[in-house]
Amino acid sequence: MWGPEGLDEVEAELLGPPEELKGKDVLEIGAGAAQCSRWLAAQGARPVALDLSHRQLQHALRIGGSFPLVCADAGALPFADASFDLACSAYGALPFVADPALVLREVHRVLRPGGRFVFSATHPIRWAFPDEPGPEGLTVSASYFDRTPYVEQDDDGRAVYVEHHRTLGDRIRDIVASGLRLVDLVEPEWPSWNTAEWGGWSPLRGNLIPGTAIYVCERDLRQD
């Protein structure tokens, strides 16, 4: 599932047709409990689920799956050059790192020539609106160009959650600078069947402004 709108990979085929995933080496970055890797393994792919959070990977281990779980920083991937055919990240890692360009360069390094990287994140335009599902979430309240991170702190003032804002232009420049090529930018529309409302997500907002941006990138066939 690429985002709260409900667009799934079976429908979207952003990594390619399901029948072509069989035997492919796939890296899931910011895997959390490895739901995407579990689906990929069911298609016959050979996924590796990577996350910085040991606790999240413990959840993945408890749920089960016959694929490797790796606890590591997405900005320093512990894999050899050209190790993977595909890489993916559904709301994982990239929104939460201060230097997403470093992650993209690492992805470029571990992808084989012609390999594809697909990642989803909150659509940048959403940062200009309050995170509310109702009408109050439809009025611009902040500058789209304000790149101040969103930070939640505990009672002792320690950051427990940090999310970084990148404009659409920032994201595209990061991708290009990494050596990857942007081949598609998918902005899923809110489907009529999805009546869910939680956090700042709702049919009301989803029918008016995009909530998710999915970046489809490829490494050039030429070996760098």
Side-chain angles (χ1 to χ4, degrees):
M1 195 75 71
W2 288 110
E5 293 84 2
L7 180 66
D8 63 32
E9 178 59 13
V10 173
E11 175 187 355
E13 296 189 357
L14 300 180
L15 293 170
E19 62 272 15
E20 294 183 11
L21 295 175
K22 187 174 182 179
K24 294 288 181 66
D25 296 310
V26 188
L27 175 62
E28 183 186 5
I29 299 171
Q35 292 93 331
C36 297
S37 288
R38 205 166 289 108
W39 181 86
L40 286 161
Q43 311 312 306
R46 295 192 295 263
V48 174
L50 178 141
D51 202 283
L52 185 62
S53 169
H54 182 258
R55 179 173 291 183
Q56 285 289 339
L57 294 176
Q58 284 181 314
H59 292 315
L61 189 63
R62 186 184 70 251
I63 295 169
S66 57
F67 48 83
L69 304 174
V70 178
C71 188
D73 188 337
L77 297 174
F79 308 109
D81 296 356
S83 294
F84 297 95
D85 301 298
L86 300 165
C88 63
S89 185
Y91 276 81
L94 282 143
F96 311 109
V97 295
D99 187 1
L102 176 60
V103 176
L104 290 163
R105 289 195 297 271
E106 278 290 274
V107 172
H108 178 273
R109 180 183 65 79
V110 302
L111 276 178
R112 293 170 183 142
R116 174 169 285 204
F117 176 43
V118 183
F119 71 95
S120 62
T122 301
H123 197 290
I125 195 64
R126 290 288 288 266
W127 282 76
F129 294 83
D131 196 25
E132 299 289 343
E136 63 275 22
L138 299 177
T139 302
V140 171
S141 62
S143 170
Y144 170 76
F145 301 102
D146 183 357
R147 295 166 177 82
T148 304
Y150 171 77
V151 180
E152 293 179 2
Q153 297 177 320
D154 62 17
D155 293 338
D156 296 320
R158 292 173 298 195
V160 293
Y161 180 92
V162 180
E163 188 171 350
H164 296 269
H165 171 47
R166 305 288 284 167
T167 69
L168 202 56
D170 292 337
R171 288 281 184 216
I172 293 172
R173 281 187 289 274
D174 288 344
I175 290 166
V176 172
S178 74
L180 294 168
R181 180 167 54 95
L182 182 68
V183 297
D184 200 1
L185 174 58
V186 181
E187 300 167 293
E189 295 187 37
W190 195 274
S192 59
W193 59 260
N194 190 348
T195 59
E197 181 177 307
W198 58 275
W201 302 90
S202 68
L204 173 66
R205 296 186 80 199
N207 282 314
L208 294 173
I209 57 174
T212 297
I214 309 172
Y215 305 84
V216 183
C217 316
E218 289 183 352
R219 177 172 175 172
D220 196 90
L221 275 169
R222 299 187 301 274
Q223 180 74 53
D224 295 332

